[in-house]
Amino acid sequence: MTAGRSAPWRWPSARRFRVRPFPASCRAIRAFPEATRARVLAAADELGYQPNLIARGLKNQSTGIVGVVVTDLDNSYHAHALQLLIEKMGEKRLAPLVFAGNSSKAPKAPLHA
């Protein structure tokens, strides 16, 4: 792609769905009139658009990933609490990164290289 040219899909898609290129590429679609918003969302659905979450995280300087440390997943209380936490995080569009430690099946002696 040369300098000054947009992504190859953006302009033809915008023309096809009767919107200017800015709305076709803008994440803040709520700011546009309802008719434009409906056309852009229909186009995104038809084209199979899926947002790039890594790019969004870089732009927003936030990944939405939350680290969770659980001491013992063999304990039914901890397992249930983790399940509830994951469900609540999903409702808020957050993703858990779970670290489990002190499992009853873990070796008791330290590992040496």
Side-chain angles (χ1 to χ4, degrees), residues 45-98:
D45 187 48
E46 183 178 320
L47 296 170
Y49 170 77
Q50 296 206 350
N52 184 327
L53 299 179
I54 294 171
R56 182 180 293 172
L58 288 171
K59 182 181 182 310
N60 295 336
Q61 297 181 346
S62 175
T63 61
I65 297 173
V66 178
V68 180
V69 179
V70 181
T71 56
D72 187 1
L73 285 175
D74 292 334
N75 179 318
S76 62
Y77 172 79
H78 291 176
H80 182 67
L82 178 62
Q83 179 182 358
L84 293 175
L85 178 64
I86 290 170
E87 289 172 7
K88 290 294 181 188
M89 288 174 67
E91 291 171 8
K92 297 185 181 296
R93 300 180 63 96
L94 297 171
L97 180 60
V98 179

Side-chain angles (χ1 to χ4, degrees), residues 22-33 37 40-41 56 59:
F22 177 74
S25 63
C26 182
R27 191 172 71 88
I29 192 71
R30 289 181 213 94
F32 296 98
R37 183 177 184 276
V40 171
L41 293 176
R56 182 180 293 172
K59 182 181 182 310

